[in-house]
Amino acid sequence: MLTVQLVQEWMKKTNERMQENKAYLTELDQAIGDSDHGINMSRGFREVVNKLEQSAYDDVSTVLKDVAMTLMSKVGGASGPLYGTAFLKLSTALKGKDIVNKEDLAAGLEAAANGIQHRGKSTTGEKTMVDVWVPVVLWWKGQDEINAEGLEKVAKEAMESTKSMEATKGRASYLQAKSVGHIDPGSTSSYYIFKSLAEVLV
Ligand code: ADP
Ligand code: MG
């Protein structure tokens, strides 16, 4: 189940992870991109937490909408609009729901994953964050109940699977075959988002 308070905790934990791993995300983006993913994520999620602390919320959908709007307006680069779209789709899918259960979240995360692909004109196997979101959603839909441990594991394996992929979308695609052998930065930040979600789910 997800509540307003749990979304706030989810974002807090995500932010902590982005701050702790800012240098690592930069390093990953240095190898196959333009070295700004650590800066983008640390700034974006810090702003998200600031925004959520300033407001009082009655429902999950509205909190997620503020997350989306903050990421869209504060994060430069490809990842800002993509994560912004993901959280906006999740917000829309959960609109009007007082109680958000496992099925609602499955539908919401699926809408989010579809939103990323639509916005990024991307699909699986292209060495992007999509390679984490899609397998996580597919796995989630097959679960009978919330399985936090499983979620962390699936997201981690999905992130690691990007190492052997050749990038065909985003900046990393300029490197073609040279992108192979490096974990995708956006898949890593997506792993942090799901690892944090796993920690707050009840
Ligand atoms: P930029 O690439 O503009 O510098 P970031 O470094 O913040 O932005 O984010 C890069 C990440 O965004 C990549 O590692 C990848 O996961 C993701 N990404 C880039 N382009 C796309 C796309 N078209 N579809 C899905 N994800 C993408
Ligand atoms: Mg970058």
Side-chain angles (χ1 to χ4, degrees), residues 29 34 36-37 40 77-79 82 120 122 128-130 170-171 184-186:
D29 201 28
D34 59 353
D36 64 350
H37 197 58
N40 287 342
S79 59
L82 291 168
S122 42
T128 71
M129 58 174 75
V130 170
R171 281 178 201 280
D184 172 57

Side-chain angles (χ1 to χ4, degrees), residues 18 25 37 41 83 184-194:
M18 298 303 179
L25 290 172
H37 197 58
M41 292 298 96
Y83 279 136
D184 172 57
S187 298
T188 308
S189 54
S190 292
Y191 163 63
Y192 296 150
I193 291 172
F194 287 117

Side-chain angles (χ1 to χ4, degrees), residues 136-156:
V136 163
V137 167
L138 283 176
W139 170 85
W140 191 300
K141 286 168 73 177
Q143 298 301 299
D144 293 330
E145 49 195 73
I146 283 180
N147 172 355
E149 218 170 281
L151 172 60
E152 196 271 339
K153 191 164 168 276
V154 168
K156 185 166 192 212

